[in-house]
Amino acid sequence: MTTATTNPNRTEFSNDLAALHMKPLWERVMRLKPGTAAVPVIWRWEQAQPRLMRAAELITTREAERRVLMLENPALKGTTFATTTLYAGLQVILPGEIARTHRHVPNALRFIIEGEGAYSAVEGERVMMKPGDFVTTPNWAWHDHGNVGSEPVVWLDGLDLAFPNLFGAHFREEYPQESQPVSHAQGEAGARYGANLLPADYRPQGHASPLLSYPYDRTRGALERLARNSEPHASHGFKLRYVNPATGGHAFPTMAVFMQWLPKGYSGRPYRSTDGAVYCVVEGRGSASIGEARFDFAPHDVFVVPSWEPHQFRADRDCVLFSYSDRAAQEALGFWREETQQ
Ligand code: 1HN
């Protein structure tokens, strides 16, 4: 690649081309191997939690619209993203507050970390949120949040912002009122889509799961039963994928969402895949070795496993890990690959 710069004629040629916004392909510096610029990083709950409470003193939800501390990958400064394709942020809402109604093209997920009594209203249905629940905000759905309880509620926001931004398709709209009217009973989406049944004439409309909430007690119960009665995967322990019940596909067209159980004493084999992922520790303590980094993790810590970084998990106690990645988009495009290592 350096031949061009050592040959004065080629240098002159390159300079001539530059003025015309052309470049010789043989001089390109683009990455031509798997992986991204993102680096492994952990945000520890013991550091995040007091700062969320400080944010709650400094600004109201009305002023901020959403009171969020964004989790930006240190190698992706200026993007706001945790991985090259995924946004992650910690949102806190105080008793009595309302985060006003809007909609946008990016899909969003909420993973509830701490506190009870808050709802996320999606297209007229208020979904009550409890720690460990995974709640969806499908693309272009009106959504607002409120806290009708008596304690602060904190959740992890995950968004696929990079995709609409990349395509130039990021629209957003404000709703004329702060809260949208309630037009569905609580639990209606769960009744329609969450009981291994679907409305008789249902045809999938959007691309994201119409099931607005995946409650933790059911997810945890399934994993615990599997862990008691079957053998763990060599790298993932017991790992389940949240499903769009109408299609059998991922919960979002872009983001794949998972919950996994690592039994106490588990030591996983190194593994890598092309999807970058954001993890949130739900229960337990253990460690994640990711590339050159080693993170000891505790409940509510959030960490990033970048694309194609070899990683392995160890569990000091029974651990439950929530995660989301861009695997759904990669599978849809035919790009996704994985590799188990020795
Ligand atoms: C958003 O709409 C929410 O609705 C949270 O709670 C975080 C980050 C970027 C763009 C939109 C929410 C967001 C967001």
Side-chain angles (χ1 to χ4, degrees):
M1 302 290 168
T2 53
T3 46
T5 49
T6 54
N7 177 328
N9 291 332
R10 290 185 186 172
T11 305
E12 193 189 324
F13 179 59
S14 295
N15 293 340
D16 169 59
L17 288 177
L20 300 169
H21 318 299
M22 292 192 272
K23 256 180 201 280
L25 180 63
W26 58 89
E27 287 180 15
R28 90 192 122 164
V29 290
M30 177 190 264
R31 183 185 190 102
L32 296 172
K33 57 182 184 186
T36 66
V39 293
V41 49
I42 187 164
W43 294 274
R44 296 186 189 282
W45 181 243
E46 63 181 21
Q47 291 170 338
Q49 198 271 348
R51 287 165 176 87
L52 285 161
M53 296 309 137
R54 180 69 179 139
E57 291 168 2
L58 290 173
I59 193 162
T60 62
T61 288
R62 186 166 280 138
E63 280 177 284
E65 183 168 1
R66 301 291 191 259
R67 189 194 291 106
V68 176
L69 303 183
M70 299 189 291
L71 307 179
E72 185 180 62
N73 194 293
L76 303 173
K77 285 205 170 72
T79 63
T80 78
F81 296 156
T83 73
T84 44
T85 60
L86 299 171
Y87 165 99
L90 293 170
Q91 180 159 177
V92 58
I93 184 164
L94 298 181
E97 285 189 322
I98 289 171
R100 69 174 171 272
T101 312
H102 66 199
R103 64 179 175 180
H104 39 65
V105 165
N107 292 281
L109 66 81
R110 324 284 165 199
F111 182 68
I112 321 313
I113 290 181
E114 189 176 78
E116 290 194 25
Y119 64 82
S120 183
V122 179
E123 291 289 328
E125 180 171 335
R126 287 191 176 179
V127 180
M128 295 308 295
M129 303 191 284
K130 283 203 199 145
D133 293 355
F134 156 49
V135 172
T136 64
T137 309
N139 151 280
W140 208 238
W142 289 114
H143 57 285
D144 53 292
H145 318 299
N147 186 342
V148 292
S150 55
E151 56 187 18
V153 176
V154 177
W155 64 80
L156 176 71
D157 289 313
L159 283 91
D160 60 4
L161 286 157
F163 294 90
N165 284 3
L166 176 66
F167 294 126
H170 189 167
F171 292 83
R172 58 182 282 137
E173 262 179 24
E174 299 296 317
Y175 195 76
Q177 283 93 44
E178 199 170 45
S179 297
Q180 61 182 308
V182 174
S183 54
H184 295 283
Q186 265 178 34
E188 205 174 309
R192 277 187 214 283
Y193 311 111
N196 293 325
L197 298 163
L198 290 174
D201 295 318
Y202 181 75
R203 295 279 171 274
Q205 284 140 17
H207 295 281
S209 171
L211 182 58
L212 303 177
S213 174
Y214 297 77
Y216 186 48
D217 51 356
R218 293 181 59 182
T219 310
R220 192 186 193 286
L223 284 166
E224 193 178 12
R225 238 165 288 134
L226 285 178
R228 216 180 293 138
N229 300 308
S230 59
E231 289 304 310
H233 180 279
S235 301
H236 309 313
F238 300 90
K239 188 170 185 178
L240 296 177
R241 161 174 88 79
Y242 288 95
V243 68
N244 177 339
T247 63
H250 291 291
F252 299 100
T254 44
M255 297 184 286
V257 189
F258 304 94
M259 193 76 100
Q260 82 198 82
W261 179 288
L262 308 175
K264 180 179 173 180
Y266 180 79
S267 180
R269 282 237 298 268
Y271 168 90
R272 62 181 173 180
S273 56
T274 52
D275 51 324
V278 178
Y279 281 78
C280 182
V281 181
V282 192
E283 297 182 38
R285 285 171 189 276
S287 70
S289 296
I290 311 166
E292 302 294 297
R294 188 197 139 109
F295 302 136
D296 290 320
F297 59 72
H300 309 337
D301 290 351
V302 178
F303 61 88
V304 163
V305 176
S307 166
W308 211 239
E309 280 291 348
H311 56 281
Q312 65 190 120
F313 295 118
R314 290 196 179 81
D316 302 333
R317 316 197 185 150
D318 285 342
C319 288
V320 185
L321 305 180
F322 173 85
S323 63
Y324 63 101
S325 83
D326 56 8
R327 179 168 166 176
Q330 292 200 32
E331 285 180 355
L333 298 170
F335 296 162
W336 187 78
R337 292 200 200 190
E338 65 179 335
E339 194 175 86
T340 304
Q341 296 169 324
Q342 293 318 309

